[in-house]
Amino acid sequence: LIKIEPDIFMKKIPVFALLLFSCLSCSLFGQNSLPDRWEPGMTIQLTYGGGMRYYSYELLVSDTGSYYMENNEGRIIKSKINFYKEQLDNLLAFLKEQQFDQIQSELTAPMHDKGSELITIQWGQKKIAIGTGHAKEIIDAHKSRYLKVRNYLQQMRSSKNN
């Protein structure tokens, strides 16, 4: 027969509750919330893979040099792009306005020939990655904000090509 000391059990509950609260507070109160200004070394990347179609593109936005690369059935186009600090700050302000760090995706039924898209923001040791893919979709309530961010990034690239 094993005897459990009630004092030992009761001492461990507060530790567990504190650990649980700290994990929840990180996710609920925005541990990875976006910074107020563009930080040195910060990057935003928009990638798309065409699934069964031999097509992909990548846009990398950075303060140290940006580029756009497209692969359309083996025809590769790569162009360097430069953005001013003001443009980067405006992009970050738009991301904050759209509450990009709060957009979520969910698991759905897998579609094996579906392409995937991902927007990734990195700064310091923090990273936010939101996208779609094999079995993930943006939650309906967040879809319009996600699309606005994607379109903003694509328009930034397009404006540099004109």
Side-chain angles (χ1 to χ4, degrees):
L1 205 56
I2 299 174
K3 183 178 178 184
I4 298 176
E5 298 281 329
D7 289 337
I8 292 173
F9 182 70
M10 294 307 286
K11 287 178 184 176
K12 292 188 180 202
I13 288 177
V15 172
F16 175 75
L18 182 61
L19 180 62
L20 180 63
F21 176 75
S22 66
C23 290
L24 285 174
S25 66
C26 287
S27 62
L28 292 176
F29 300 114
Q31 170 93 14
N32 280 340
S33 61
L34 296 167
D36 292 325
R37 311 261 322 143
W38 190 273
E39 294 186 3
M42 187 174 194
T43 62
I44 297 179
Q45 187 175 25
L46 167 63
T47 57
Y48 174 79
M52 296 290 285
R53 185 171 168 232
Y54 186 22
Y55 178 80
S56 63
Y57 66 78
E58 175 183 9
L59 171 65
L60 178 78
V61 177
S62 170
D63 58 344
T64 57
S66 304
Y67 67 85
Y68 176 77
M69 184 169 61
E70 183 177 312
N71 183 344
N72 189 354
E73 296 183 358
R75 291 185 303 275
I76 298 174
I77 298 168
K78 185 170 182 177
S79 56
K80 292 182 180 182
I81 307 169
N82 290 312
F83 295 105
Y84 296 107
K85 175 118 173 70
E86 181 182 354
Q87 292 171 301
L88 299 175
D89 285 338
N90 289 344
L91 169 58
L92 188 57
F94 184 76
L95 292 171
K96 289 176 76 82
E97 176 185 307
Q98 296 302 316
Q99 298 175 324
F100 185 78
D101 53 338
Q102 303 301 313
I103 296 174
Q104 298 174 9
S105 58
E106 63 185 349
L107 290 174
T108 61
M111 287 196 259
H112 300 291
D113 63 346
K114 181 178 185 279
S116 62
E117 182 176 77
L118 185 66
I119 300 174
T120 306
I121 304 171
Q122 291 183 283
W123 71 101
Q125 298 297 314
K126 297 179 181 180
K127 178 179 180 177
I128 298 171
I130 301 168
T132 64
H134 171 67
K136 287 189 101 172
E137 284 295 326
I138 302 299
I139 293 173
D140 285 341
H142 301 179
K143 211 171 268 189
S144 69
R145 290 186 291 137
Y146 178 84
L147 293 173
K148 286 178 185 177
V149 169
R150 183 188 67 192
N151 292 341
Y152 190 97
L153 288 166
Q154 290 174 334
Q155 287 171 356
M156 283 181 72
R157 180 195 64 87
S158 295
S159 70
K160 291 296 182 171
N161 287 345
N162 295 334

